[in-house]
């Protein structure tokens, strides 16, 4: 089998294809989320990405209580109770039979096998948006580098179609994987979470030694090669974990000392709690379930710490809602809902 045939038969496991994304690189993008991650961050906003295996989830708002899935399950791992669907995950094989027979799509399998050629064809359906907006396709996860042969074949195929490619990585992958992926990547989105190695291990399950080493390797690769053309760094701003001025300033010093010539952008991504339902669907407890959004004053201080760290200030960006903004948005939404439900003569003009 030659290299071209091999690239067409590579398969990988994807848990979501998100279209019309504006947060994973320039322009309008289609983000392909890979199943399986090398980190286990306390605050993970995609808990379905951590395990490389397919997983079953139940979406209560769709369920019509027909119990078709209970009868079909070969392991008898499902029980519908007054509190909802109970999945005995210790015996569930994630075979997908329950999802296949569910008439309301309340049962879902997270993680689908794709062939390279099929996935390229699927994402190219969005090419008109890429061309008009300067967008493209981003590989995210999870960690795409854990499925390096599939990810490399996908990136290579997209570049052959002239599509802008971005690789979103946590940095905990082999250097050999980076060598395979970088030549077909136009933009690298690299997570830099915590500078202290012990704190990094506490909150993510691993030290940051390899992550920092791979970041330096990526920067040197950019200096020596045509691709990647750009490197963007992203720091999730998480209460009790990453959201300290000392941590943000230390990250900035590292960037300024080692990466100032290759980093175009550093994003501080404010904590959000929109993923709570994802954890409940997987029967998992989320340590941040009751954590409110950060206050605007806190994000402002962290943004100022980043801008004073030695990084070119114009490269520091801040995204995400803060507590006051969220409260205002909720109040406005409630008011609008009330207006819509009131008789026409009582609505404000």
């Amino acid at each position: 089998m030659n290299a071209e045939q091999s690239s067409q038969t590579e398969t990988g496991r994807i848990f979501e294809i998100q279209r019309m994304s504006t947060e994973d690189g320039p322009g309008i993008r289609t983000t392909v989320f890979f199943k399986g991650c090398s980190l286990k961050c306390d605050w993970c906003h995609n808990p379905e990405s951590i395990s490389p295996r397919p997983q079953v989830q139940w979406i209560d708002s769709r369920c019509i209580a027909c119990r078709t899935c209970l009868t079909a399950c070969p392991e008898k791992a499902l029980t519908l109770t007054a509190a909802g669907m109970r999945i005995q995950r210790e015996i569930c094989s994630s075979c997908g039979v329950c999802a296949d027979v569910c008439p309301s799509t309340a049962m879902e399998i997270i993680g689908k096998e794709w062939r390279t050629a099929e996935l390229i064809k699927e994402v190219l359906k969005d090419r008109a948006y890429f061309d008009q907006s300067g967008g493209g396709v981003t590989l995210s996860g999870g960690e795409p580098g854990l499925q390096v042969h599939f990810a490399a074949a996908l990136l290579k195929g997209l570049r052959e179609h002239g599509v802008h490619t971005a690789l979103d990585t946590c940095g905990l992958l082999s250097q050999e994987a980076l060598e395979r992926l970088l030549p077909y990547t136009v933009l690298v989105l690299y997570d830099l979470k915590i500078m202290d190695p012990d704190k990094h291990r506490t909150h993510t399950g691993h030290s940051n030694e390899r992550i920092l080493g791979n970041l330096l390797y990526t920067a040197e690769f950019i200096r020596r090669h045509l691709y990647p053309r750009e490197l963007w760094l992203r720091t999730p701003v998480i209460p009790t974990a990453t959201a300290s001025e000392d941590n943000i300033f230390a990250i900035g010093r590292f960037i300024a000392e080692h990466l100032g010539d290759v980093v175009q952008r550093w994003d501080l991504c404010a904590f959000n709690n929109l993923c709570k339902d994802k954890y409940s669907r997987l029967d998992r407890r989320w340590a941040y379930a009751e954590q409110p959004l950060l206050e605007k004053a806190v994000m402002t201080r962290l943004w100022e710490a980043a801008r004073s760290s030695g990084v070119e200030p114009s490269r520091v960006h801040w995204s995400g809602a803060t507590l006051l903004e969220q409260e205002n948005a909720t109040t406005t939404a409630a008011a609008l809902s009330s207006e819509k439900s009131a008789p026409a003569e009582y609505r404000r003009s």
Side-chain angles (χ1 to χ4, degrees):
M1 182 181 296
N2 61 37
E4 181 177 356
Q5 290 172 323
S6 176
S7 70
Q8 298 303 306
T9 57
E10 288 286 356
T11 61
R13 184 166 290 155
I14 303 301
F15 72 86
E16 184 179 5
I17 299 172
Q18 179 178 301
R19 293 181 154 89
M20 306 298 288
S21 173
T22 58
E23 299 178 352
D24 298 315
I28 297 174
R29 310 189 69 79
T30 296
T31 303
V32 179
F33 290 91
F34 282 58
K35 195 95 163 68
C37 190
S38 45
L39 292 178
K40 295 181 179 179
C41 302
D42 293 341
W43 59 82
C44 182
H45 283 59
N46 289 327
E48 71 274 39
S49 76
I50 297 173
S51 172
R53 298 180 61 251
Q55 293 169 288
V56 176
Q57 70 173 1
W58 174 70
I59 303 175
D60 59 349
S61 61
R62 299 179 185 173
C63 186
I64 58 175
C66 67
R67 292 175 167 78
T68 305
C69 58
L70 276 63
T71 304
C73 177
E75 281 81 25
K76 305 304 177 186
L78 305 177
T79 306
L80 187 60
T81 71
M85 184 68 70
R86 178 172 176 263
I87 303 172
Q88 298 183 64
R89 296 191 180 275
E90 65 276 10
I91 64 173
C92 174
S93 65
S94 299
C95 64
V97 170
C98 59
D100 291 339
V101 301
C102 179
S104 63
T105 68
M107 301 299 295
E108 283 190 346
I109 288 289
I110 308 170
K112 177 184 176 182
E113 297 289 332
W114 284 87
R115 291 184 180 273
T116 308
E118 294 170 345
L119 186 50
I120 290 174
K121 182 178 180 180
E122 180 67 24
V123 298
L124 285 179
K125 293 177 181 178
D126 305 323
R127 182 158 196 165
Y129 298 107
F130 308 156
D131 293 344
Q132 289 295 319
S133 68
V137 176
T138 299
L139 274 55
S140 187
E143 173 50 58
L146 296 185
Q147 300 184 57
V148 61
H149 299 293
F150 177 66
L154 181 58
L155 289 169
K156 182 176 184 292
L158 290 168
R159 291 301 300 141
E160 289 171 350
H161 283 278
V163 174
H164 181 283
T165 56
L167 172 68
D168 184 2
T169 177
C170 73
L172 190 60
L173 68 167
S174 69
Q175 193 172 106
E176 291 75 19
L178 279 173
E179 290 174 353
R180 291 285 307 275
L181 299 172
L182 292 179
Y184 309 112
T185 302
V186 182
L187 166 66
V188 179
L189 304 170
Y190 204 105
D191 287 358
L192 201 50
K193 300 176 173 73
I194 303 173
M195 285 305 296
D196 182 276
D198 292 330
K199 290 182 179 179
H200 197 282
R201 184 185 298 277
T202 297
H203 290 289
T204 72
H206 291 272
S207 168
N208 60 1
E209 182 178 359
R210 176 178 287 188
I211 293 170
L212 295 177
N214 280 339
L215 180 54
L216 295 176
Y217 173 83
T218 299
E220 188 59 29
F221 195 100
I222 291 173
R223 294 182 185 108
R224 294 174 177 270
H225 298 82
L226 176 61
Y227 291 106
R229 292 177 180 169
E230 292 188 82
L231 174 62
W232 294 7
L233 300 181
R234 303 205 284 191
T235 300
V237 181
I238 309 298
T240 74
T242 72
S244 73
E245 292 177 57
D246 287 346
N247 181 54
I248 298 300
F249 188 84
I251 292 174
R253 293 304 303 160
F254 183 87
I255 297 170
E257 291 174 11
H258 302 286
L259 309 164
D261 60 323
V262 293
V263 171
Q264 284 77 33
R265 183 181 178 111
W266 179 20
D267 285 300
L268 304 181
C269 307
F271 167 80
N272 72 71
N273 51 16
L274 300 178
C275 63
K276 287 189 288 188
D277 285 348
K278 292 184 177 184
Y279 279 85
S280 62
R281 291 172 188 169
L282 294 173
D283 301 312
R284 294 185 56 184
R285 178 185 173 277
W286 188 37
Y288 289 84
E290 304 304 321
Q291 177 68 50
L293 300 184
L294 291 165
E295 295 179 357
K296 186 173 183 179
V298 173
M299 281 300 299
T300 299
R301 287 198 302 270
L302 297 175
W303 180 68
E304 290 173 346
R307 287 167 54 88
S308 66
S309 65
V311 176
E312 167 57 45
S314 64
R315 298 179 186 178
V316 181
H317 298 262
W318 157 15
S319 64
T322 54
L323 187 59
L324 182 61
E325 293 167 331
Q326 183 67 23
E327 289 175 345
N328 289 341
T330 301
T331 301
T332 301
L336 290 173
S337 177
S338 176
E339 288 178 16
K340 290 178 181 178
S341 62
E345 61 267 32
Y346 294 111
R347 294 178 193 165
R348 284 181 290 177
S349 59

